Amino acid sequence: MMKDHSHYMAMALSEAEKAGQKWEVPIGCVIVAETGEVISAAHNMTVSYKDPTAHAEILALRKAAEIMGNYRLPGCTLYATIEPCIMCMGAIVHARLSRVVFGAYDEKWGGAGSLYNLADDSRLNHRLQVVPGVDAEACRLQIQGFFRQIRMEKKRKAASSPNNSNSLT
């Protein structure tokens, strides 16, 4: 039985946390069958895998397709902490998912409503429901905190560098 969206988004946020601990952009994804069973979960691994396609959504889709024995996943819902990009939305459309639920919008790369809307493009042969803004604040704060931490780390390294012109010698 399907639980509420926040239940599955909490799982996606947990996946995103795993990514952040590896210094990957903290985006998490969970794919759920229409029965409510979690089929797969993944987080970003682009840096670790040295693979620009290793987004959380793509990795979760690959796992789900393997488990289901089919690249098409009708009736399934994908939960992502951040709006899927156009690459991920293309794969989601190809997989024939029924629904995408995401937390925070991605104004720069979003493919599910903010920049593009591949889920409802009449030129494509499949459309799916999009549910934006589920636990958006928690999702937004998680990714903002990560990038704030990255910036602070860069400043710290620059300040402690022996080549820093501000250092006393």
Side-chain angles (χ1 to χ4, degrees):
M1 178 175 188
M2 283 290 280
K3 298 185 174 152
D4 73 347
H5 293 318
S6 289
H7 172 79
Y8 298 109
M9 190 58 73
M11 296 172 79
L13 280 162
S14 177
E15 282 294 319
E17 180 66 27
K18 293 176 191 175
Q21 292 170 356
K22 299 172 187 173
W23 291 100
E24 298 276 357
V25 175
I27 297 175
C29 179
V30 175
I31 297 179
V32 179
E34 54 193 334
T35 61
E37 175 191 2
V38 175
I39 300 170
S40 67
H43 53 274
N44 272 8
M45 293 293 289
T46 56
V47 175
S48 299
Y49 290 178
K50 298 170 185 64
D51 179 356
T53 69
H55 289 197
E57 299 92 334
I58 298 296
L59 297 175
L61 285 167
R62 286 176 184 162
K63 286 180 190 177
E66 186 176 333
I67 289 166
M68 300 301 284
N70 193 336
Y71 73 96
R72 290 195 174 162
L73 303 168
C76 292
T77 299
L78 182 144
Y79 290 85
T81 55
I82 303 297
E83 177 184 5
C85 73
I86 54 177
M87 173 186 69
C88 293
M89 280 305 296
I92 289 164
V93 169
H94 277 290
R96 308 296 198 271
L97 274 82
S98 295
R99 181 182 311 120
V100 168
V101 178
F102 67 86
Y105 279 100
D106 183 346
E107 301 294 328
K108 294 181 180 178
W109 287 96
S114 65
L115 189 60
Y116 296 97
N117 190 355
L118 295 183
D120 196 32
D121 190 322
S122 63
R123 297 169 294 180
L124 301 175
N125 65 348
H126 178 70
R127 278 174 256 340
L128 58 142
Q129 179 187 15
V130 173
V131 180
V134 173
D135 299 332
E137 183 74 1
C139 295
R140 185 182 58 75
L141 289 174
Q142 185 179 51
I143 201 160
Q144 285 178 340
F146 173 78
F147 284 113
R148 187 176 305 112
Q149 187 177 3
I150 294 285
R151 287 189 300 275
M152 286 174 28
E153 184 66 18
K154 284 182 181 178
K155 284 181 184 179
R156 186 192 65 73
K157 283 182 180 179
S160 65
S161 170
N163 297 329
N164 183 0
S165 60
N166 293 331
S167 64
L168 299 175
T169 49

